[in-house]
Every structure is written in C-alpha cells, then in structure tokens.
C-alpha cells in the first residue's frame, strides 16, 4: 500500500523569504500523480500544484515549485517570496494512475506553515 | 458560480442520534467523495461515488452511510454506530473517475456530545 509522509509538523518563514516543505512517499508503482494542497484557516482545500510521475520536469505555478526526485521518492514544495496569505496547512497527496486503484488520494498528515511579518 | 456547497458549516448532535451532512455540486462532475479530517492527520476517505446510484466504501466507512440519487448530490449520514464522530468532514468532486483534480467544499464541523 502507498504511504505519504510529511516529517515537518510545522514550519515558519519570514515574509518575502523562501521556504521548502518536505514530502516523501512509498510506492511500487511507476505511474502516479503527486499533489500539494493548501488548507488556509477557512479550511477550504485548494490545489496548489501537481506533478505527473512520468514527467521529468518539475512543475511550477507562479511562486510555487516542486523538486520531484522519483528515485528518492521525494516531492518537496518550494514557496518563493512568501506572503502572509500563504499561511496555511499544506498537504502532500499521492494518486495512482492505474485504473484498478480506484484513483484514491493518499494524504500526508500536513505541515503548518507560519509566515512571520 | 460553479462549486461545491456543504451545509451546515457547524453541526451539533447528541450521542446516539443519526445526522446527515449535505453536499451539493453544480460542476456537472460524475465523481464525488467524502473525507474525514482529524487534527494531526491527513484526510481519510469515507465513501466515494463514481456515478449516480453507485458508491463504494473507502478506508473508514464503518458507521457511515451515503446515497447518490442525483448527480449533483451526495449526502453523508453519520450513524449512531460511528464510535467517534466528532470531526471535520470534507466533500469533494472530480469530473470523472480518472480526473486527477478534486475540488473541495468548505467542510462541515460535526460535534457530538
């Protein structure tokens, strides 16, 4: 069974600086998707970025980028120029690409990101 | 505006009572999901539905029940058999079973005393 681990329960960063959130996963599959979701205090879950395992190029969305290391099963999220609105819980999630997996999302426990003004 | 609505935002019940959480979407999505979120844990899948009149159990279905009589609606009933029902419940949908992106509702905080 697949598992997702976020080893940092909480991280803090000064506003305008860069922070990296860690995520590792365990799977025997070769084709899958990885996601970072953000959950602000409103508790609305918002997709931040996704990565397809078959793509070697790291995904980027504005100030958010990932470092996808397939062999190491690592999927970290880098937030550049941190803003107060980035303060939230960040969840890493895994989804198999195979049809018989039921496409279930497997979630990490989350990292709370604090932005210091 | 398209989206997912969950009501109510906060729900309080006495132990032993069944309670139904509402989830409605106007995104024309085929697939819908119910998750439970507890402090310090990731989301756990309760039930999911890929099409109308069909649903499957997730990892923690015991003590819960669902129905999918309409495409846009996927209500979750928390029964008295659920041993620890106090939690935050999130509903999500995706265009179809294979779509990688799930869209989430604002959630319902259920407190059972």
């Amino acid at each position: 069974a697949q598992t997702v681990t976020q080893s940092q329960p909480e991280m803090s960063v000064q506003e305008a600086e860069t922070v990296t959130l860690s995520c590792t996963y365990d799977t025997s599959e070769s084709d899958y998707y990885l996601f970072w979701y953000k959950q602000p205090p409103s508790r609305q879950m918002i997709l931040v970025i996704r990565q397809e395992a078959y793509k070697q190029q790291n995904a980027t969305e504005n100030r958010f980028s990932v470092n996808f290391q397939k062999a190491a099963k690592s999927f970290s999220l880098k937030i550049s120029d941190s803003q107060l609105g980035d303060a939230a819980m960040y969840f890493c999630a895994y989804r198999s690409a195979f049809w018989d997996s039921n496409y279930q999302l497997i979630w990490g426990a989350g990292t709370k990101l604090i932005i210091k003004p | 505006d398209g989206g997912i609505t969950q009501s109510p935002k906060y729900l309080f019940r006495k132990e032993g009572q069944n309670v139904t959480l509402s989830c409605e979407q106007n995104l024309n999505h085929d697939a819908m999901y119910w998750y439970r979120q507890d402090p310090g844990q990731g989301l756990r899948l309760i039930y999911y539905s890929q099409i109308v009149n069909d649903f499957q159990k997730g990892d923690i279905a015991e003590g819960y029940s669902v129905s999918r009589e309409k495409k846009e609606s996927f209500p979750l009933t928390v029964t008295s058999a659920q041993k620890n029902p106090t939690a935050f419940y999130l509903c999500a949908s995706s265009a179809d079973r294979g779509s990688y992106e799930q869209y989430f509702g604002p959630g319902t905080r259920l407190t059972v005393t």
Side-chain angles (χ1 to χ4, degrees):
Chain A
Q2 297 83 16
T3 59
V4 176
T5 302
Q6 293 179 251
S7 58
Q8 306 154 317
E10 186 175 296
M11 292 281 286
S12 63
V13 63
Q14 206 71 36
E15 191 177 5
E17 293 187 347
T18 295
V19 64
T20 298
L21 308 184
S22 301
C23 173
T24 58
Y25 58 94
D26 189 27
T27 184
S28 59
E29 298 175 336
S30 59
D31 197 12
Y32 47 86
Y33 298 95
L34 294 164
F35 307 87
W36 279 99
Y37 278 86
K38 168 185 177 181
Q39 188 178 41
S42 67
R43 305 202 76 174
Q44 179 87 42
M45 196 71 77
I46 303 163
L47 179 64
V48 175
I49 199 166
R50 72 173 186 273
Q51 174 80 42
E52 290 89 343
Y54 63 86
K55 290 186 177 180
Q56 292 188 341
Q57 187 173 5
N58 289 325
T60 299
E61 289 286 342
N62 301 314
R63 297 182 295 107
F64 298 86
S65 62
V66 298
N67 183 6
F68 173 49
Q69 301 289 328
K70 191 172 184 179
K73 298 179 182 175
S74 171
F75 182 60
S76 60
L77 174 70
K78 185 173 84 170
I79 306 174
S80 303
D81 185 25
S82 298
Q83 300 175 359
L84 293 177
D86 294 333
M89 285 290 292
Y90 286 82
F91 292 91
C92 179
Y94 169 103
R95 205 210 80 174
S96 171
F98 292 98
W99 68 272
D100 62 350
S101 70
N102 292 318
Y103 300 122
Q104 179 176 336
L105 280 172
I106 309 299
W107 297 80
T111 296
K112 182 178 182 180
L113 179 62
I114 298 168
I115 310 294
K116 299 177 184 176
Chain B
D1 283 336
I4 302 175
T5 57
Q6 291 185 245
S7 60
K9 190 173 178 68
Y10 299 97
L11 192 52
F12 298 88
R13 280 294 183 270
K14 294 290 188 184
E15 198 172 313
Q17 293 179 333
N18 291 355
V19 59
T20 297
L21 281 60
S22 167
C23 177
E24 303 277 333
Q25 54 98 359
N26 61 3
L27 300 167
N28 199 33
H29 284 175
D30 285 326
M32 296 187 74
Y33 314 82
W34 273 106
Y35 292 95
R36 172 180 170 137
Q37 186 177 26
D38 294 286
Q41 297 188 36
L43 277 66
R44 292 183 291 169
L45 184 65
I46 304 172
Y47 268 98
Y48 63 99
S49 169
Q50 297 164 13
I51 56 172
V52 174
N53 293 322
D54 183 60
F55 48 83
Q56 284 79 40
K57 293 181 179 180
D59 296 329
I60 56 166
E62 185 175 349
Y64 300 97
S65 66
V66 294
S67 63
R68 187 87 186 275
E69 297 176 1
K70 298 186 296 183
K71 186 176 184 177
E72 59 270 24
S73 178
F74 191 41
L76 173 74
T77 296
V78 184
T79 75
S80 56
Q82 167 53 231
K83 291 181 172 51
N84 185 18
T86 295
F88 186 66
Y89 292 87
L90 282 161
C91 179
S93 72
S94 61
D96 56 48
R97 184 170 174 269
S99 295
Y100 47 69
E101 183 165 353
Q102 292 185 12
Y103 296 81
F104 285 80
T108 293
R109 172 67 183 178
L110 173 64
T111 302
V112 177
T113 57

